[in-house]
């Protein structure tokens, strides 16, 4: 018998179906925080349903090898070395990072991941929270109008400029955090950018030294929509497919 949280008091009760998943995975728990559950355990997700709903997803891999430590595997551009912020991240701990512009800089800056290969439909996401700068920018190969890039307004949770075939998506996670996703179609082994700015659609003359935002949990996956967060700590990690029999529901394709 498989046990899972499935009542309003967050108690364990038997679930009347057969479930399999040969890896750990994350879920949004009843407190609104990202929680990791073990291999073979179903996930009752509270992100979009206050009573909880069974989360079933296809297999996906996070191609970023360091999803939470932005001092390794990422290259800095016009910013201070990223540092741990004194704010609670979406998993409930003090492990978010600050991206802060260096003194004297006036053009947007941030970090980029060098040469991560993708193909076809892709979803590039990161959790972000406003500091004293207004915009997060995600981009592939660059941030100008000839590249796939999206500007995200962290002040009001709206999508700004979208370049080429990129489409932005923002989902609120509480405590000022948004999961910002750039969905796009491209085969690329070029750099993936996480930048900050104060101007929609522009990075030139857009900031001053000391402007900053908070980030947590970067993910790059091959697929047309983002799936649950997959933490990595030095290598690509795959979350295997959820398989549910006799549950009356299917796994999305």
């Amino acid at each position: 018998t498989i046990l899972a949280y499935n009542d309003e008091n967050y108690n364990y009760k038997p679930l009347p179906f057969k479930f399999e998943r040969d890896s750990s995975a994350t879920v949004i728990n009843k407190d609104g925080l990202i929680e990791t559950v073990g291999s073979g355990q179903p996930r009752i997700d509270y992100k979009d349903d206050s009573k909880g709903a069974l989360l079933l997803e296809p297999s996906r891999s996070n191609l970023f090898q360091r999803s939470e430590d932005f001092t390794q595997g990422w290259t800095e551009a016009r910013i201070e070395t990223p540092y741990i912020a004194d704010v609670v991240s979406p998993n409930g701990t003090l492990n978010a990072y600050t991206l802060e512009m260096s003194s004297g800089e006036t053009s947007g800056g941030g970090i980029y991941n060098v040469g991560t290969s993708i193909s076809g439909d892709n979803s590039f996401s990161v959790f972000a929270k406003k500091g004293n700068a207004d915009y997060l920018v995600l981009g592939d190969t660059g941030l100008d109008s000839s590249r796939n890039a999206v500007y995200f307004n962290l002040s009001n949770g709206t999508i700004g400029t979208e370049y080429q075939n990129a489409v932005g998506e923002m989902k609120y996670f509480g405590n000022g955090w948004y999961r910002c996703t750039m969905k796009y179609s491209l085969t690329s082994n070029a750099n993936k950018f996480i930048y900050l700015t104060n101007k929609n659609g522009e990075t030139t003359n857009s900031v001053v030294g000391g402007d900053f935002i908070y980030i947590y949990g970067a993910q790059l996956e091959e697929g047309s929509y983002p799936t649950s967060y997959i933490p990595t700590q030095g290598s690509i990690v795959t979350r295997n497919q959820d398989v549910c029999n006799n549950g009356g529901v299917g796994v999305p394709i």
Side-chain angles (χ1 to χ4, degrees), residues 206-250:
S206 64
V207 292
V208 297
D211 284 350
F212 68 94
I213 62 172
Y214 305 111
I215 61 170
Y216 168 82
Q219 185 154 310
L220 181 65
E221 52 191 310
E222 294 183 353
S224 60
Y225 60 92
T227 60
S228 59
Y229 174 53
I230 305 169
T232 64
Q233 297 180 336
S235 63
I236 293 171
V237 173
T238 298
R239 181 202 60 247
N240 290 333
Q241 177 179 332
D242 299 291
V243 178
C244 176
N245 296 316
N246 301 320
V249 290

Side-chain angles (χ1 to χ4, degrees), residues 99-164:
L99 296 186
E100 179 181 343
M101 297 303 307
S102 297
S103 177
E105 295 293 349
T106 60
S107 294
I111 55 176
Y112 57 92
N113 188 277
V114 179
T116 303
S117 297
I118 55 172
S119 62
D121 292 333
N122 307 285
S123 297
F124 174 12
S125 61
V126 67
F127 294 87
K129 180 176 179 175
K130 175 181 168 60
N132 61 2
D134 290 327
Y135 283 89
L136 165 80
V137 195
L138 300 181
D140 189 316
T141 74
L143 300 173
D144 60 41
S145 60
S146 67
R147 318 289 183 168
N148 286 280
V150 178
Y151 287 70
F152 300 88
N153 190 326
L154 301 177
S155 295
N156 59 23
T158 60
I159 305 297
T161 301
E162 300 167 317
Y163 286 137
Q164 297 300 313

Side-chain angles (χ1 to χ4, degrees), residues 20-251:
E20 297 176 10
R21 187 191 59 258
D22 295 330
S23 70
S24 61
T26 66
V27 69
I28 305 303
N29 65 24
K30 196 173 183 180
D31 297 322
L33 300 174
I34 296 173
E35 176 184 338
T36 298
V37 298
S39 176
Q41 292 297 313
R43 293 177 289 167
I44 305 302
D45 185 74
Y46 286 86
K47 180 66 184 77
D48 300 313
D49 187 338
S50 61
K51 294 184 178 180
L54 180 65
L55 180 59
L56 298 175
E57 295 183 305
S59 177
R60 289 284 183 88
S61 298
N62 188 351
L63 303 179
F64 289 142
Q65 296 186 30
R66 295 192 182 274
S67 65
E68 297 178 14
D69 184 353
F70 297 102
T71 65
Q72 299 187 65
W74 298 85
T75 300
E76 301 154 17
R78 296 187 293 278
I79 64 167
E80 302 294 327
T81 300
Y83 57 92
I84 295 290
D86 189 24
V87 298
V88 176
S89 79
N91 78 350
T93 60
L94 294 174
N95 63 343
Y97 273 78
T98 303
L99 296 186
E100 179 181 343
M101 297 303 307
S102 297
S103 177
E105 295 293 349
T106 60
S107 294
I111 55 176
Y112 57 92
N113 188 277
V114 179
T116 303
S117 297
I118 55 172
S119 62
D121 292 333
N122 307 285
S123 297
F124 174 12
S125 61
V126 67
F127 294 87
K129 180 176 179 175
K130 175 181 168 60
N132 61 2
D134 290 327
Y135 283 89
L136 165 80
V137 195
L138 300 181
D140 189 316
T141 74
L143 300 173
D144 60 41
S145 60
S146 67
R147 318 289 183 168
N148 286 280
V150 178
Y151 287 70
F152 300 88
N153 190 326
L154 301 177
S155 295
N156 59 23
T158 60
I159 305 297
T161 301
E162 300 167 317
Y163 286 137
Q164 297 300 313
N165 65 27
V167 175
E169 174 183 289
M170 296 182 78
K171 289 193 174 182
Y172 188 59
F173 272 71
N175 195 29
W177 286 100
Y178 293 92
R179 191 182 192 190
C180 302
T181 302
M182 180 177 78
K183 298 180 287 187
Y184 62 113
S185 182
L186 182 69
T187 297
S188 167
N189 62 356
N191 300 338
K192 311 299 182 284
F193 291 83
I194 302 174
Y195 263 42
L196 65 143
T197 182
N198 276 309
K199 292 184 179 180
N200 180 35
E202 187 176 346
T203 58
T204 303
N205 298 320
S206 64
V207 292
V208 297
D211 284 350
F212 68 94
I213 62 172
Y214 305 111
I215 61 170
Y216 168 82
Q219 185 154 310
L220 181 65
E221 52 191 310
E222 294 183 353
S224 60
Y225 60 92
T227 60
S228 59
Y229 174 53
I230 305 169
T232 64
Q233 297 180 336
S235 63
I236 293 171
V237 173
T238 298
R239 181 202 60 247
N240 290 333
Q241 177 179 332
D242 299 291
V243 178
C244 176
N245 296 316
N246 301 320
V249 290
V251 176

